[in-house]
Amino acid sequence: MDKIIRICILCFFAGILFACSDDENVTVSTEPYFGIAGNNLAQTFSGDPEIKYVTVNTNQQFTAISSDPSWCAVEIIDDKVDNLKITVSKNEQASDRATRITVSSAGFDNVVIDVTQTWTASITTDKPYLLLNNDNLEFTLKITTNIDYELELPDWITEKSSQPDGTYTFAFSAISPGERSGNIIIKATDESSSTRLSVPIVQRERIKKVGSWLFDDPANLTKPTVGKALEMVRNIAHNPDAEFVSVDGPAGNNKAVRIPVNCHFLADHGMIPKEEQNYITEYTLFFEFKIPAIGRFYTFFQTNLNNNDDGEIFVRSTNPATIGVGATGYAGNVQPEVWNRLYLSFKPGDVKFFMNGELFHTSTTTDARFRINPAAVILCGGPWTKKDDNEFDIAEISIWNGALTADDIRELEGIE
């Protein structure tokens, strides 16, 4: 048994000696080589940004130069088999483009890679959609494309100007509360091309206060806090000495105005009719007022700018003193020498009266008398022809361009 073990050990060491002898006879080739496989000598890219890698088979240092690095960049990547990185940018032109990459190593012929990039018709814009309102009646849209194109616009959008860089300025008109929508279509002028882009556009307007007057400045009783200044209108034929007078308001730190008999304010309210309508039919008027006595008429507003018939809503000359008109009916109980906050919310078929934040009367009237002229509305004055109006005090007038709800008014009044 020992003899067998000794023989195995001798064989093991003999094997090691022979193996070492074979390694000493192996030689590593140091012959320089350099080349690129033939199927990599032509590279084709799409029109979009793209990266490809090519293997340069070499054991030598080498360089690579693009003949047009403005769109085709080349980079040598160390320690990788695919050691040549080719990057192309988006092809914005309307044709294919080509360049060459020259790969060089000392002592070898240059290897040339032909690079071709196709093109894709494209249209892009700087905004994916447009949301508009009445605050700014112009907008811009920048169009970037590599084809000839034309625009299709909604009928409520007009092109105002354009710049060489593709920036367009468009205009549109204001709307009443609500919204309208459409699409700006940018499409190829070539009828055989299906390239097009649609940019959604929405114009949205919320109900908001468009006019408000507080009468806190005795030197300027027509000054607005929102909207435009009021115009004082005096019926000189009836009362040549009529004057709008500053008086104390409902609180010690504010003032009011006393409306003289047969005089009124004219308000350029800034409201806009709904599409295909000529008058404003939805709105809210607010009056903070005080009457000196009951048994007399006190008119809040008049839609007939000739002012030759009854006002639309007034305090009636009854006891109790109610508010309304024949078309709406009358309600309420106005006390003299007491400040009240009256909201009149109008929508055809849905008219609401609120006093100090609380609903006190409704009507389903659709009477055309409540349609307001886009030019103006008469505030706080009765008809000149009847001369049955009376002076009263106003601490605030406000106008909203839509019909406020009960929740809206309770919120304005701070009622939970």
Side-chain angles (χ1 to χ4, degrees):
M1 184 68 177
D2 291 342
K3 183 177 182 180
I4 294 172
I5 292 173
R6 285 196 297 271
I7 292 171
C8 290
I9 292 172
L10 289 172
C11 289
F12 174 74
F13 282 107
I16 292 175
L17 290 172
F18 279 115
C20 291
S21 176
D22 288 343
D23 286 345
E24 290 173 356
N25 292 328
V26 173
T27 59
V28 177
S29 175
T30 58
E31 187 72 23
Y33 61 92
F34 169 74
I36 297 175
N39 61 351
N40 283 330
L41 296 180
Q43 297 291 326
T44 301
F45 292 81
S46 69
D48 294 322
E50 193 175 353
I51 296 174
K52 290 187 178 183
Y53 292 89
V54 171
T55 298
V56 179
N57 298 299
T58 186
N59 58 358
Q60 304 297 303
Q61 294 293 319
F62 67 94
T63 60
I65 298 174
S66 169
S67 62
D68 193 346
S70 64
W71 64 271
C72 177
V74 62
E75 179 184 358
I76 296 171
I77 308 296
D78 295 329
D79 301 324
K80 284 191 65 176
V81 174
D82 297 331
N83 50 5
L84 193 66
K85 178 182 178 182
I86 304 172
T87 305
V88 298
S89 59
K90 184 178 179 64
N91 187 358
E92 303 284 0
Q93 63 190 38
S95 62
D96 294 351
R97 58 186 177 181
T99 189
R100 287 186 159 195
I101 296 173
T102 301
V103 186
S104 306
S105 183
F108 293 92
D109 292 336
N110 292 341
V111 178
V112 175
I113 301 173
D114 291 311
V115 177
T116 302
Q117 186 180 26
T118 60
W119 73 285
T120 302
S122 68
I123 302 172
T124 60
T125 57
D126 63 338
K127 302 178 184 74
Y129 63 89
L130 293 153
L131 183 59
L132 313 174
N133 57 47
N134 288 359
D135 294 339
N136 183 1
L137 299 179
E138 291 185 3
F139 66 93
T140 62
L141 184 68
K142 185 176 182 180
I143 300 171
T144 302
T145 181
N146 57 2
I147 60 172
D148 293 330
Y149 63 92
E150 59 189 15
L151 301 177
E152 290 182 0
L153 303 176
D155 57 10
W156 50 277
I157 299 291
T158 57
E159 180 184 331
K160 190 172 181 181
S161 64
S162 62
Q163 302 298 324
D165 68 351
T167 300
Y168 287 78
T169 299
F170 298 98
F172 59 98
S173 59
I175 60 171
S176 60
E179 72 173 51
R180 56 183 172 182
S181 61
N183 292 281
I184 295 178
I185 305 296
I186 310 157
K187 65 178 185 179
T189 54
D190 182 355
E191 294 182 357
S192 65
S193 172
S194 61
T195 303
R196 61 192 286 137
L197 179 67
S198 178
V199 180
I201 181 169
V202 176
Q203 182 181 4
R204 185 174 296 146
E205 185 66 11
R206 60 181 177 82
I207 295 176
K208 63 184 179 182
K209 186 183 289 187
V210 293
S212 187
W213 303 268
L214 296 179
F215 313 107
D216 283 337
D217 184 355
N220 187 0
L221 292 175
T222 63
K223 182 171 67 176
T225 55
V226 177
K228 298 181 180 180
L230 295 170
E231 178 184 348
M232 292 178 178
V233 180
R234 299 176 177 87
N235 186 353
I236 298 176
H238 177 68
N239 183 2
D241 299 322
E243 293 292 339
F244 291 77
V245 179
S246 177
V247 296
D248 291 336
N253 60 348
N254 77 327
K255 306 291 287 183
V257 61
R258 181 159 295 160
I259 311 294
V261 174
N262 239 216
C263 300
H264 60 256
F265 286 120
L266 188 65
D268 182 352
H269 47 72
M271 291 187 286
I272 300 163
K274 292 183 177 294
E275 285 190 89
E276 300 182 357
Q277 294 186 8
N278 297 321
Y279 295 90
I280 293 92
T281 58
E282 297 183 19
Y283 55 92
T284 301
L285 303 178
F286 168 75
F287 303 89
E288 187 168 17
F289 73 97
K290 181 180 72 173
I291 63 173
I294 61 174
R296 305 172 187 174
F297 284 103
Y298 305 95
T299 301
F300 291 108
F301 76 107
Q302 164 75 280
T303 61
N304 177 1
L305 298 183
N306 292 323
N307 199 23
N308 56 11
D309 57 13
D310 283 341
E312 313 320 328
I313 298 294
F314 46 80
V315 176
R316 199 179 189 192
S317 60
T318 55
N319 187 4
T322 55
I323 295 176
V325 73
T328 63
Y330 299 89
N333 185 1
V334 181
Q335 298 297 311
E337 297 299 335
V338 175
W339 285 102
N340 293 284
R341 297 172 62 82
L342 174 67
Y343 292 86
L344 304 172
S345 174
F346 284 89
K347 180 188 289 186
D350 186 13
V351 178
K352 295 183 173 69
F353 295 6
F354 300 83
M355 189 73 83
N356 303 320
E358 300 293 343
L359 178 68
F360 73 93
H361 186 54
T362 64
S363 171
T364 58
T365 182
T366 58
D367 199 312
R369 69 181 298 157
F370 300 111
R371 300 182 305 183
I372 291 181
N373 192 307
V377 63
I378 292 173
L379 300 173
C380 304
W384 285 0
T385 53
K386 297 180 71 172
K387 301 181 177 62
D388 61 357
D389 204 40
N390 292 274
E391 69 178 20
F392 65 120
D393 296 347
I394 296 289
E396 180 183 346
I397 303 173
S398 290
I399 303 174
W400 286 263
N401 61 355
L404 296 180
T405 66
D407 287 342
D408 295 331
I409 290 170
R410 289 174 69 86
E411 182 179 351
L412 287 170
E413 291 297 303
I415 300 174
E416 296 183 356

